[in-house]
Amino acid sequence: MPPNTQTYKLYAKAEGTFLMYTMGDTSSNGNQLINGLFGALNVQPAGAEWYRSQVTADDLLLATYNANRPDQVPPGSLFCTPAGSSTCTFTVNGKSVNVIKTPDFGASPGLTKGGYLNTLDNHPLIDYNALYPATRLDGTAIPQELVGTPVLKMLDAKNNIAHTDLTAMITGPNAGRFPGANGDPNKPDPPCNAENNPALSSGITVDPLFCQNPAAPDRKQPYREITILYHGALTPVATQAFPIGTI
């Protein structure tokens, strides 16, 4: 009973979505179910990373690489030609990418700092590992409970849930593609019907998560996970047992 806590460790034999619900309800009316003791357990492929798909404009700016934040753009990683221009090359994670650096707008005291790095087609260059800083570029404070927690990642460094999202983005390692059974994110796995099929190949073990399927030809790309639980049969209307939102 509250305020006590209980930790459960669950074993998932395979990836997929599984229904969880109370099995200790001794009432004849399903009182525990009505009070929200049910949900979905989503099991992702090994090595998967989870990211929020619904964020505020403020959060998106905080997760965009910015030349004024040394924690995101270390000295020596950004070269602009000519110096001071908006056309730059940014080196991150061992890769170099051509970017456009946004300028400052206005003048003091109403100066709005730029420095955000956008792709050449003007999309923000996202730092998927971004953490909430203590202050924004304009000096306004970030709520203390957010400082140091991930902006986009749904798990913190200790694998604690930092955010929830009804339509999370699921990616492979480093916010990229999945390696699949053959270990190469850019090489398709064998067809789903290749195992024990001499006409296709022999000795192949097919991974049902990543094998080629005509209905989903590129199965190594990141995907959006959507899980919906219909509970209209639970009367009165079921209530949510846990708060929905982010910390």
Side-chain angles (χ1 to χ4, degrees), residues 1-50:
M1 295 294 292
N4 297 322
T5 60
Q6 180 71 43
T7 300
Y8 295 92
K9 292 185 177 180
L10 305 176
Y11 169 73
K13 185 178 181 180
E15 296 83 357
T17 297
F18 301 89
L19 178 65
M20 294 196 308
Y21 61 94
T22 175
M23 299 183 68
D25 194 343
T26 59
S27 71
S28 59
N29 297 322
N31 290 336
Q32 292 184 355
L33 289 174
I34 291 173
N35 282 283
L37 289 183
F38 62 90
L41 174 65
N42 298 314
V43 181
Q44 314 299 346
E49 298 174 353
W50 318 340

Side-chain angles (χ1 to χ4, degrees), residues 186-223:
N186 298 309
K187 180 181 178 181
D189 271 14
C192 293
N193 61 342
E195 193 169 1
N196 300 321
N197 187 338
L200 295 174
S201 187
S202 60
I204 288 179
T205 300
V206 170
D207 185 339
L209 293 176
F210 302 108
C211 59
Q212 294 182 55
N213 184 328
D218 186 2
R219 304 187 70 191
K220 293 188 174 184
Q221 64 182 334
Y223 56 90

Side-chain angles (χ1 to χ4, degrees), residues 72-182:
Q72 288 185 326
V73 183
S77 64
L78 184 68
F79 294 92
C80 300
T81 306
S85 73
S86 61
T87 304
C88 310
T89 299
F90 177 45
T91 301
V92 58
N93 297 326
K95 297 181 180 180
S96 295
V97 58
N98 294 326
V99 297
I100 299 172
K101 184 177 68 170
T102 63
D104 295 342
F105 295 94
S108 296
L111 177 68
T112 298
K113 282 192 174 182
Y116 295 101
L117 304 186
N118 291 343
T119 61
L120 296 183
D121 56 355
N122 211 33
H123 287 81
L125 190 63
I126 299 299
D127 178 8
Y128 287 92
N129 295 314
L131 303 176
Y132 283 101
T135 60
R136 299 177 181 84
L137 291 179
D138 62 4
T140 58
I142 300 290
Q144 185 58 41
E145 64 270 17
L146 289 177
V147 175
T149 63
V151 178
L152 297 179
K153 278 188 171 181
M154 294 173 63
L155 300 180
D156 65 16
K158 297 181 179 180
N159 280 335
N160 296 313
I161 295 177
H163 303 284
T164 61
D165 198 305
L166 294 175
T167 55
M169 297 301 300
I170 311 299
T171 76
N174 300 314
R177 294 168 59 84
F178 290 94
N182 62 24

